[in-house]
Amino acid sequence: MDIFFQQLFNGLTIGSVYSLVALGLTLVYGILHIPNFAHGALYMMGGYITLTMMQTLGLYYWLAIFVSIVVVGLIGVLMERLVFHHLRHAPPIHDKIAAIGMLLFLEAFAHRVWGADYLEMATPHGQVVSVFGITFTLQRLIIIVAAVLVMFTLYLFLKKTYMGMTVIAMSQNRAGANLVGVNTNKVAMLTFFISGALAAIAASLSSPINLVFPGMGHLVILKAFVIIIIGGMGSIPGAIVGGYILGFTESLGATYISSDYKDIIAFILLVLILTIRPNGLFAKGGQS
Amino acid sequence: MSRLLLNKRFALSGLLLLVLVLPLITSNAYMIRILILTFIWTIAVYGLNLLAGYTGYLSLAHAGFFALGAYTLAILTVTVGLSYWLAFILTLVFTSIVGALIGMIALRTREHFFAIYTLCVGYIIYLIIYNWEGMTGGVRGFIGIPSPGSIGPLEFNSQISNYYLVLFFLVLTIVVIYRIVHSLQGRTFMAIRNSEDLAKTIGISTTKNKLIAFILSTFFAGLAGALFASFTRFIGPEISNITMTFDFLVYLLIGGIGTLSGPVIGTFIIVWISQELQFLQDYRMLVFGPILVILIIFAPRGISGFIIDWNLKRKAKKQQIESMKDMENNQEVKEG
């Protein structure tokens, strides 16, 4: 039974990271209807920038994360300004290809600057904690708490502030939002900033228990896509719930089925879901 | 117009002649090898073009089908022990059948969902090849695939003979694709690309035609994969990796998506530049990534499409000038 709770806890940790990444992806999709394949590259950049800040400037972990949030957020804004903005009237296939182009560029960039090695990120929170028979490092607990805090803050921002409400308005109806005076360009930039920031937070939190390398975003982004399809493209609660569902499924699947094939679980889940429901699990009636 | 057509035909036959005699004038084995690989990539890119370029469905599982062709040929010839050409034909049949099965499900989804779905299908194929060691050799790869068997007096043991074999399949592919694109079937694909709903209203069965495009695309991916396996005689799981799909996409995009000459132009130029930029190898995407983005914004139909559009514009301008001259003449006549 201990193993079960231990795995449940691990699932909560992984799920938190997945949820954060999926949130960024779903926000962008909700606003601009772009499946941002480059989101995984933002995640990777987040990991590297935090690491560089800690190693070369000797910044404290949390301060490094803050820098990373700002930088990756700005990279996100640049993406919107330089690329997606110009493609807003283009056929949907163009957005996807442009996103892939940026993904390839950022990955090669990381490869060039930081090398192909797997790097470790030290954390000041490596202590081992034991509660109710479950043993874990403090870092894992921090991931869960921080993720919940970030989600709660995001919720407050979207629901209670004027700026946040413009984001929601635009995801509901772009033309309508424009009509009542929302500056859609600003909202698009803001959304990309939030999306990049979320990716940076997720990567910085998870890097101490995983590793930092150029391809670290691949699996995460693919799984984030699975999550937002499960949760409904553009749905914020869907992304959070979907993230935790996938986290639990994986960590339990790795223990009770096979750890070799744990990465395939998500994709088989997705293939099954799309086979039965071509528009996703919680699609809002009608074809998109 | 007829002069342009004549020019085109002249250029094409010149190009064909050049690639035909090339192995006779150069003894550079490395260059021939690169050319053979380029021909093989081009065949695969034509498959991708038919689906993504003409039908408008971006499949990100293309490398998966390429690898499926390569591994099927390897398993049929080595593990099962069939004769080469029988295995070759069975490989094409098999990849098309798998393509049909996956296509039937994948094509229920549209746009983004289709891209994400095929991305996942590609990843599953990769993971299966990687993990199923008993069948595919896993990480170690599959060794000892035979080179193409002889047909009558024709033997394919040397590099030069392989060159002509692959060239033959490339030309065949181009001819077939040309015929498809200029047939009613090709028009149907384009109608679906331009507007699926509109295509439906004029009585096109989109489900059936999308499936045909999907199967054709996997067929050419499988063909390229089979040729690749018997040419390199060693294959590893990395050929099914998503980066391979991205490579195909780069070739297609830069050459010109949805154009007939795009795949040839794109693949040759990019492979050639990559050879020139050998020192960049791992970082070549530092250059190609931004090129991809810039192209999709400013010249979404690549080099080939850019030239076509430019020609059309020039012609339109010429016509305009001529018609204006006519008008002026008429006026002069009236006034005079």
Side-chain angles (χ1 to χ4, degrees), chain B residues 285-315:
Chain B
M285 288 305 173
L286 269 179
V287 182
F288 295 142
I291 290 181
L292 203 62
V293 175
I294 292 168
L295 265 180
I296 205 74
I297 295 176
F298 296 107
R301 295 207 304 144
I303 297 172
S304 187
F306 185 77
I307 295 172
I308 294 172
D309 290 347
W310 186 69
N311 257 336
L312 282 178
K313 245 182 228 162
R314 210 183 46 173
K315 222 176 282 163

Side-chain angles (χ1 to χ4, degrees), chain A residues 33 94 222 270 274-275 287, chain B residues 108 110 112 117 119-120 300:
Chain A
H33 295 273
H94 290 187
L222 283 174
L270 177 78
L274 281 186
T275 307
Q287 288 206 317
Chain B
R108 282 161 49 90
R110 289 174 78 164
H112 310 317
Y117 189 93
L119 189 68
C120 291

Side-chain angles (χ1 to χ4, degrees), chain A residues 60-249:
Chain A
Y60 185 64
Y61 181 57
W62 293 100
L63 205 58
I65 293 184
F66 178 75
V67 176
S68 177
I69 290 172
V70 174
V71 174
V72 179
L74 288 179
I75 298 177
V77 174
L78 270 183
M79 262 184 195
E80 201 279 329
R81 272 296 92 183
L82 294 180
V83 182
F84 290 123
H85 183 70
H86 298 281
L87 289 171
R88 57 196 189 289
H89 302 304
I93 199 170
H94 290 187
D95 293 318
K96 275 170 275 189
I97 291 164
I100 289 172
M102 283 183 287
L103 165 75
L104 295 174
F105 169 74
L106 286 174
E107 236 164 61
F109 178 79
H111 202 179
R112 180 85 191 84
V113 176
W114 292 290
D117 297 332
Y118 288 60
L119 305 174
E120 254 179 83
M121 187 189 282
T123 161
H125 309 294
Q127 304 90 328
V128 176
V129 185
S130 190
V131 185
F132 304 125
I134 310 173
T135 317
F136 50 83
T137 57
L138 192 56
Q139 180 67 27
R140 284 183 181 267
L141 191 64
I142 285 176
I143 291 177
I144 298 170
V145 175
V148 171
L149 271 180
V150 168
M151 287 173 206
F152 188 64
T153 317
L154 184 70
Y155 174 82
L156 284 185
F157 173 75
L158 289 177
K159 292 285 177 189
K160 303 287 176 198
T161 67
Y162 183 77
M163 255 206 316
M165 280 191 274
T166 59
V167 174
I168 302 272
M170 194 167 141
S171 75
Q172 284 168 349
N173 187 334
R174 194 185 176 113
N178 217 337
L179 259 180
V180 296
V182 172
N183 184 338
T184 44
N185 281 337
K186 261 191 195 156
V187 176
M189 287 198 283
L190 177 70
T191 310
F192 263 89
F193 185 86
I194 298 174
S195 162
L198 287 170
I201 296 172
S204 311
L205 286 173
S206 73
S207 291
I209 57 168
N210 296 320
L211 290 164
V212 183
F213 56 99
M216 67 190 270
H218 284 175
L219 267 180
V220 176
I221 183 69
L222 283 174
K223 285 175 186 169
F225 271 122
V226 175
I227 291 163
I228 66 171
I229 285 179
I230 296 175
M233 299 276 259
S235 154
I236 292 168
I240 298 172
V241 174
Y244 284 112
I245 289 178
L246 188 64
F248 288 132
T249 321

